[in-house]
Amino acid sequence: MGQQRIRYLRTGDGIGLAWAESGQGLPLVKAANWLTHLQYDWESPVWRHWMRFLAGHYRYIRHDERGCGMSDREVGDLSSERWLDDLEQVVDAAAIERPFVLLGISQGAATAVAYAVRHPQRVSHLILYGGYVVGAYRREDAEAARLYRAVVELLRSGWDHGNPAFRQLFTSRFIPTGDAQQVGWLNELCLKTTRGEIGATLMEARANVDVRELLARVRVPTLVLHGRRDQVVPFSEGVRLASGIPGAEFVELDSCNHVLLEPEPAWTAFRDAVLAFTGVQAAAAGAPAGFSRRERELLPLLCQGLGNAEIASRLGISEKTVRNQLTGLYAKLGVHSRAAAIAHAHAHQLIDPA
């Protein structure tokens, strides 16, 4: 959607990986994390504000992990050992010519740590959000491991059924404060991005992660952020990441959501910390980063209440062109109507108050 460009690469073991880039500026690569879909994430009431933020300030590069989303589903090897190899091949395919920001979310943090240790010269900043050092099966917490195994088996048998209750047992923990639309979207994403057997296998791979011996070898500037009441990954895992990486900066976020939602103050704190850490300025009012010159001209006219014909006359273009460009503008804002675009622009100060 919008300015996103989706491409494919072929891994060394013959798997087709879908990767995408959007935005411009300092490159930021996100390691793969649980359940993504390169196309549907832009429409998501759970993820689209992440997309707008990251693509609005960086050249944002990401991929669907093997077995999920737009990447090949039926693959033989879903083990965690493949995560680093796949990330390396995405970075190579993107032809990034300068050191880049590497973002690891949830289990993606382990992959990001491993990449930073192997390629320190390529990473300018390492950002780890909601991450963990040790998976659920290796944390010496027998009760937590039993619960995790029970969820895996329930999803293995109930994921593909029409009743969303099986999936909601899992997804509701990601966004405890989410509304019905957001939780429903996550439930549907489970079906859109993979099937139950693959999902269960990937969960078990995550439960066996252990990067403890790598932490002390990280030599790049690192920012660790974690929600104090995260329901998916214990806060103690964020502390373990930050305390194990030399010189890492730690930011505690006041949230119980594993995926930060747009209205909560923790999301604002996350954005501010990431921008400050990477030295990137927030998008100026009236000139959102990542928007084309024409879109920057369109937005204030739209907010003045002008119709398509009036906008076309002002800009010296056809009404059809206005309609097409408004469609792209709505996609970047993550809205679906003129009224919603105007409300979003005012709420986020994307236009001058005058």
Side-chain angles (χ1 to χ4, degrees):
M1 295 179 66
Q3 298 298 309
Q4 179 175 229
R5 297 165 293 281
I6 299 174
R7 300 181 176 91
Y8 280 87
L9 64 85
R10 187 66 56 181
T11 67
D13 61 337
I15 302 303
L17 283 187
W19 66 280
E21 62 177 317
S22 51
Q24 55 191 349
L26 177 65
L28 184 149
V29 178
K30 182 177 75 67
N33 54 269
W34 175 252
L35 289 190
T36 61
H37 193 294
L38 295 181
Q39 180 176 340
Y40 292 131
D41 286 350
W42 279 98
E43 307 167 6
S44 165
V46 176
W47 284 112
R48 63 188 171 212
H49 56 288
W50 288 75
M51 303 298 154
R52 290 198 305 267
F53 167 64
L54 294 169
H57 294 87
Y58 305 91
R59 179 191 170 199
Y60 181 37
I61 298 162
R62 62 201 179 101
H63 70 284
D64 286 334
E65 69 177 316
R66 53 177 62 208
C68 288
M70 299 178 70
S71 293
D72 284 355
R73 302 279 181 90
E74 304 303 324
V75 301
D77 189 353
L78 292 171
S79 66
S80 60
E81 287 74 17
R82 287 291 182 181
W83 299 346
L84 177 56
D85 293 339
D86 289 348
L87 176 60
E88 288 176 325
Q89 290 180 77
V90 169
V91 171
D92 290 344
I96 303 172
E97 298 179 349
R98 57 188 287 195
F100 58 85
V101 180
L102 181 56
L103 171 63
I105 298 175
S106 195
Q107 108 281 344
T111 309
V113 165
Y115 187 97
V117 168
R118 185 180 290 184
H119 305 284
Q121 76 285 357
R122 304 197 70 176
V123 179
S124 62
H125 304 78
L126 178 63
I127 301 174
L128 308 174
Y129 165 72
Y132 53 92
V133 180
V134 183
Y137 291 171
R138 296 174 177 263
R139 288 179 194 153
E140 299 178 354
D141 185 335
E143 183 178 351
R146 280 197 300 271
L147 175 61
Y148 196 98
R149 286 191 176 92
V151 172
V152 169
E153 290 308 311
L154 184 61
L155 291 183
R156 195 188 302 275
S157 60
W159 183 295
D160 302 310
H161 293 178
N163 188 341
F166 292 96
R167 300 183 299 279
Q168 188 159 330
L169 175 67
F170 178 80
T171 58
S172 60
R173 297 167 61 236
F174 278 71
I175 48 171
T177 68
D179 59 27
Q181 180 194 24
Q182 292 165 329
V183 173
W185 186 89
L186 272 184
N187 288 337
E188 289 302 310
L189 178 66
C190 291
L191 295 179
K192 288 179 177 178
T193 196
T194 195
R195 58 184 179 83
E197 185 61 36
I198 295 173
T201 301
L202 289 172
M203 280 192 67
E204 290 191 315
R206 284 146 170 73
N208 284 298
V209 162
D210 189 343
V211 294
R212 280 176 286 194
E213 62 92 16
L214 294 180
L215 298 186
R217 296 164 56 190
V218 175
R219 292 291 183 268
V220 301
T222 303
L223 172 67
V224 179
L225 308 101
H226 210 105
R228 161 58 71 177
R229 293 163 287 118
D230 190 326
Q231 300 294 296
V232 174
V233 178
F235 181 75
S236 57
E237 283 297 307
V239 172
R240 178 147 55 173
L241 271 173
S243 60
I245 296 175
E249 177 183 349
F250 183 68
V251 175
E252 176 182 332
L253 300 171
D254 183 15
S255 179
C256 62
N257 294 311
H258 189 54
V259 180
L260 297 174
L261 300 178
E262 187 170 21
E264 60 180 324
W267 170 243
T268 300
F270 173 89
R271 290 184 310 174
D272 291 347
V274 168
L275 292 175
F277 179 65
T278 57
V280 173
Q281 296 295 316
F291 282 51
S292 69
R293 178 184 61 82
R294 181 67 76 195
E295 288 166 339
R296 296 169 193 239
E297 294 172 340
L298 275 173
L299 190 58
L301 297 177
L302 185 72
C303 291
Q304 290 173 28
L306 301 185
N308 288 0
E310 294 171 296
I311 293 175
S313 177
R314 290 277 190 97
L315 298 179
I317 57 179
S318 70
E319 284 190 59
K320 180 179 179 181
T321 299
V322 171
R323 288 195 300 272
N324 291 339
Q325 293 182 341
L326 283 177
T327 298
L329 180 61
Y330 294 165
K332 287 187 179 180
L333 294 175
V335 300
H336 301 284
S337 69
R338 179 181 295 259
I342 294 172
H344 181 89
H346 284 297
H348 294 269
Q349 299 181 326
L350 298 182
I351 58 170
D352 293 326

